[in-house]
Amino acid sequence: MLPQLLEAQQAWNHIVNLPQENTINDMMLIPGTNKLVAVCAGSTVMYSTDMGENWELQFNPAGLNNYANLKSVYFLNANTGFISTSNALILKTTNGGSSWTQVYSGVPAISFNDFHFIDNNLGYACGNHGWIIKTTDAGQTWDYLSSSVIEHLLEIEFISDTKGFILTGSEEYLLETIDAGETWQAKTLSPALDVSEMYDLQFVNDTTGFIFGQHSSMSDSYGKVYKTTDAGITWIEVLDEAGVNQGSMAFADEMHGFITFHRWLELGICYTSDGGSTWQSTQIPAQFYWFDINSALYISPDIALAAGYCSLLIKSNNGGINWMQLSQNTFEFPVENVQFVNPSIGFATDSHELRGVAGKNLWKTSDAGQSWEINRTLWGDGGCFHFPDETNGFAASAHLYYDVFTFYRTNDCGEKWEEITFTKGFIMPADIRFYDLQSGFIAGDKIIKTIDGGNTWDVVYTGSANYLRIFYQSADDVVIIGEHSLIFSSDNGSSWTARGINNAWPVNDAWMKEDGTIFIAFGDDISWSNDLGLTWNASVLESSNPIEFKSLFFSSHAIGYAAGHGNFETMLKTIDGGLTWNALEIPATSPLNSVYFLDDLHGFAFGKLGMVLETHTGGLVGVDTPIQANANVYFNIYPNPFTNLTTIEPLTQDHLGTMEFEIFSMAGKLIMSGEITDQNQSHTISTENMPQGIYLLRLRTQTWPGQTTKLIKY
C-alpha cells in the first residue's frame, strides 16, 4: 500500500467580521446566473450563489495591491464583467470573475462610478469631473467622450436603445442622450429639485423612474425622492424624510422599492409598495446604527440586500419590509492591545472616539476569542491595560482637556473596576505594566511610578520622546522603549540611562525577549539589540513587498510575528529568533494592528476594521499525519532541516517511471518543480533562491499517488 498524500489545514479563519471586513461599495446579480458579486475596498471581490447567505472571497484582482478601492461592478452577461477603481482603473473578466485583467488606466483623480452597455460591444462608464468613456469592442479598449460638464457623474440609466440619462452631482440637470450615447446634453430638471446632493437614479421601465437626493442647510437635512412617469420630462416629490444625510435606493418594479439612509446615531430604511405615494419606516438590526449603506439591490421582487461600511450586509425576504443581519461584526474599529490571562479569557482595547466623545472600549472574551463584549470604557485620551495575573488588572486613561488621568484596577478579572482620578502630573498613557500588585509604571509623554498599587503616582522620568512599551527583566530592572529612544533602570526607576534610537521613523512597537534582546519595528524595518540599545542590527526581511509594521509578538524564544500593512503582505514570521523573517499568506487585505499568540501555534491577528483572524497552525498551512496501511516510505530526504541543498535518496529499487518533484509553500503556492528520470540514484535539489521557511515536497509519477514530506530550510 503506497502512502497517502498529506491533507492541508487552513492557516487562518475569520472569527469576527464575516464575510470580510472591508467596506462594500457596489453589488449586482450576474445576468443569467444565480451568482451575486460585490466589490469592496481593500482590493476584495465577493461572490455568493445562495442569495447572499455565504460568500467566497477573491483578493487583489488583476494583481492590484491591498490599497485598491474597487468602486463599481457591472456584468454584461454571465461571463463578461467589469470593475472600476477609485483611481481610474477598469478591470475586465471573460470567465465570470474567475480572473481579471486591466483594460484601462485613466487620470488617477477620476473615479468611475457606473457602467452601462447597450449591446454586447457598445458601452459607457461615467465618473467624476464630467468624465465619460466609451467602448465599442466589449470593453477591451476605452476612449474619452466629452460631456461638456465638470460635475461628478454618478449613475447611467438607459430607457431604450437610444435614450438614456446620467445622474449628475447637480440638482439642476441630468445628462441626456437620444443617440445611444454618442452625444450628451444637459437636461434641466422640471421643476427644479429641492436637493443639494444627489444619491441615486433608477428607471423601472421606459417611462417611470426615481431620483434620491438630499436637501441640506445649516438648520436641517431632508432625504428627498422624486418620481417621473413621463420618461424624465417632469418630476414630482414623493418622499421628504427628515435628518437624512446619506443613502441608496432600489426598486423591484414601479410599485415596490426602498431607500436606505443614515442620520445621527441611526441607520434607517423606508419602503413603498404603491410607487412612492406612501412610505413606511422599518426596523433594522440595531448594531448598525453608525454604518453607511453604499449599495441597495433587489435580487427578486421579494429578496433585497443592502451593503456598506465595514462589510455591513443585511437582507430582506419580504420585499424590504423586514431585515435580518447577514454580516457578523463585533469590532467596528482597530483593535490595538491584546492580552490573554489564560487560554479562555482575554482583553483588548479598540482605537476610536466614541461618537464624538474621546475614549476607548476595553473588550473581554471568555470563550477563547470566539466572541467579545465591552467590559468597560476607558474615558478620555490614550488608554492602556495590563493583567499581571489571571484576576488582577490595571488600566489608565487621560482627560487632556481637564489635565487629569484616571487609574483603574480590578481584582476579579474585570467583573468590577475601581476608578481613581488624579489631577496631579498629567500623562498621556500609552502602556502600563505592574511587576506585582504594588509596583508598576505608566509610560506616555513621561514615566510615572507607583509602589502602593496605584493609590499614588510620582513622575520618575521626563524625556523628549513618547514612550510606548514597558518591559520588566526583574523587580529592579526595567526597560522602556520610546519612539526615538529607550531608557533603562536597574533600581526600579530611581535612576535612568537613556539611549537614542537612530532611525528616521518613529518606533511603532517593541518587544524584549527573556534573554534581554530588544526588537523594534519602525516604518518597514525591524532591528534588534542585545546590549540595551548600544548597537542595533537590522533583521533580514525575506519579503519583496514592504510592510509598515504596527505590532511585534514573540510566542517563544525562536518564533515571532510582525504585523502591519503592505501592498500585498501584512505579516511576517521568524523561526530563528528574529534574525530573518518570512511572509505569511493572510486571507485578508486590510491592515493588521495587533497580533497575539497563546503559544507557538495558536494565535490571533486583529485588523484595522475590527477583523479578527485565528490560527491553530502558527499561521502556516498545517499538515495532518496521513493514515497509512503500512509504514513504507520510498524516498529519504536529507538533510532536513537544511540550508541550501537537500537530497532525495531512493530506499527501494522499484522503477515507477519518470518522477516529478514539486515544492510548495505552506500556503499552497508552487515554488519549484522538476523531474527525476533515474530513481535508482540520489538526486540533489538546490534551494539557494528560496527564503528560509517551511515547505512541502511532493514526489509522484503518473501511476503512483506520491509521497509528501515537510521541508525546513534555515
Side-chain angles (χ1 to χ4, degrees), residues 147-163:
S147 68
S148 302
V149 300
I150 60 173
E151 297 285 345
H152 293 343
L153 307 182
L154 307 176
E155 192 162 357
I156 307 176
E157 288 280 327
F158 272 78
I159 60 176
S160 71
D161 289 343
T162 57
K163 185 174 182 178

Side-chain angles (χ1 to χ4, degrees), residues 15-159:
I15 59 172
V16 178
N17 278 63
L18 293 171
Q20 52 90 42
E21 69 282 358
N22 291 294
T23 293
I24 301 172
N25 291 319
D26 194 18
M27 58 183 173
M28 71 173 295
L29 183 67
I30 298 177
T33 74
N34 65 343
K35 189 175 183 179
L36 284 165
V37 58
V39 293
C40 316
S43 201
T44 300
V45 188
M46 300 165 47
Y47 300 96
S48 174
T49 56
D50 59 3
M51 301 298 181
E53 297 290 332
N54 297 280
W55 296 81
E56 294 182 0
L57 303 181
Q58 181 184 51
F59 301 119
N60 309 107
L64 298 183
N65 66 34
N66 292 342
Y67 298 93
N69 185 22
L70 310 184
K71 194 71 183 294
S72 62
V73 61
Y74 180 90
F75 269 76
L76 174 60
N77 51 50
N79 295 314
T80 304
F82 302 89
I83 292 174
S84 70
T85 75
S86 59
N87 62 340
L89 301 181
I90 293 180
L91 313 181
K92 180 181 178 180
T93 181
T94 57
N95 53 18
S98 296
S99 62
W100 297 84
T101 58
Q102 181 179 313
V103 294
Y104 180 84
S105 176
V107 179
I110 303 301
S111 173
F112 290 106
N113 301 313
D114 197 21
F115 296 92
H116 185 85
F117 275 74
I118 295 176
D119 56 38
N120 286 335
N121 293 304
L122 177 60
Y124 299 91
C126 66
N128 293 346
H129 306 295
W131 268 66
I132 302 175
I133 56 175
K134 174 184 176 181
T135 180
T136 57
D137 57 6
Q140 199 61 34
T141 60
W142 297 81
D143 297 309
Y144 174 76
L145 185 67
S146 176
S147 68
S148 302
V149 300
I150 60 173
E151 297 285 345
H152 293 343
L153 307 182
L154 307 176
E155 192 162 357
I156 307 176
E157 288 280 327
F158 272 78
I159 60 176

Side-chain angles (χ1 to χ4, degrees), residues 407-427:
F407 172 69
Y408 312 81
R409 60 190 175 195
T410 179
N411 59 11
D412 54 11
C413 201
E415 294 298 316
K416 299 183 296 294
W417 289 85
E418 177 188 3
E419 294 186 22
I420 307 175
T421 298
F422 297 86
T423 58
K424 173 187 175 183
F426 170 77
I427 185 173

Side-chain angles (χ1 to χ4, degrees), residues 652-671:
T652 173
Q653 297 301 310
D654 294 344
H655 294 279
L656 302 174
T658 299
M659 183 173 64
E660 296 178 353
F661 74 85
E662 297 169 308
I663 298 178
F664 295 89
S665 73
M666 294 298 283
K669 181 180 179 181
L670 180 63
I671 304 298

Side-chain angles (χ1 to χ4, degrees), residues 151 154 168-172 193-199 212-218 220-224 226 244-245:
E151 297 285 345
L154 307 176
T168 76
S170 171
E171 75 279 9
E172 298 179 356
L193 306 189
D194 183 24
V195 296
S196 51
E197 186 175 358
M198 297 290 204
Y199 294 144
F212 180 27
Q214 176 208 21
H215 165 86
S216 180
S217 67
M218 293 293 293
D220 55 26
S221 175
Y222 293 89
K224 305 270 190 175
Y226 293 84
V244 172
N245 55 28

